[in-house]
Amino acid sequence: MPPMKLQRLDPERRRRRLQLLAELSDAKALRDRVQPRRAQVDRLRDLIATRRRLFT
């Protein structure tokens, strides 16, 4: 089996690929910042619902 040759991406494709990777990284960073808040909101919502069930 011949060794695989790495093909050079044309400049436009390489630029688009780098842009996509940067956008994915930004989206992941945003998701990581938002997740703890969402989890806290969910916990508070559950606590409120539990108290309503207990005291009604």
Side-chain angles (χ1 to χ4, degrees), residues 11-55:
E12 178 61 22
R13 186 172 174 192
R14 184 172 190 275
R15 184 192 64 76
R16 287 193 324 257
R17 181 177 180 273
L18 289 175
Q19 182 179 358
L20 174 66
L21 291 174
E23 290 172 2
L24 286 174
S25 177
D26 290 346
K28 184 180 184 307
L30 176 63
R31 188 181 67 219
D32 290 344
R33 282 195 309 269
V34 171
Q35 284 295 80
R37 279 187 246 149
R38 184 174 296 149
Q40 182 181 13
V41 167
D42 289 344
R43 282 194 303 272
L44 286 173
R45 207 172 270 142
D46 288 343
L47 178 63
I48 291 168
T50 301
R51 286 187 176 193
R52 283 184 179 156
R53 283 193 298 269
L54 290 175
F55 296 113

Side-chain angles (χ1 to χ4, degrees), residues 4-15 17-18:
M4 291 180 58
K5 290 175 72 174
L6 294 177
Q7 293 180 345
R8 278 277 205 210
L9 297 178
D10 66 275
E12 178 61 22
R13 186 172 174 192
R14 184 172 190 275
R15 184 192 64 76
R17 181 177 180 273
L18 289 175

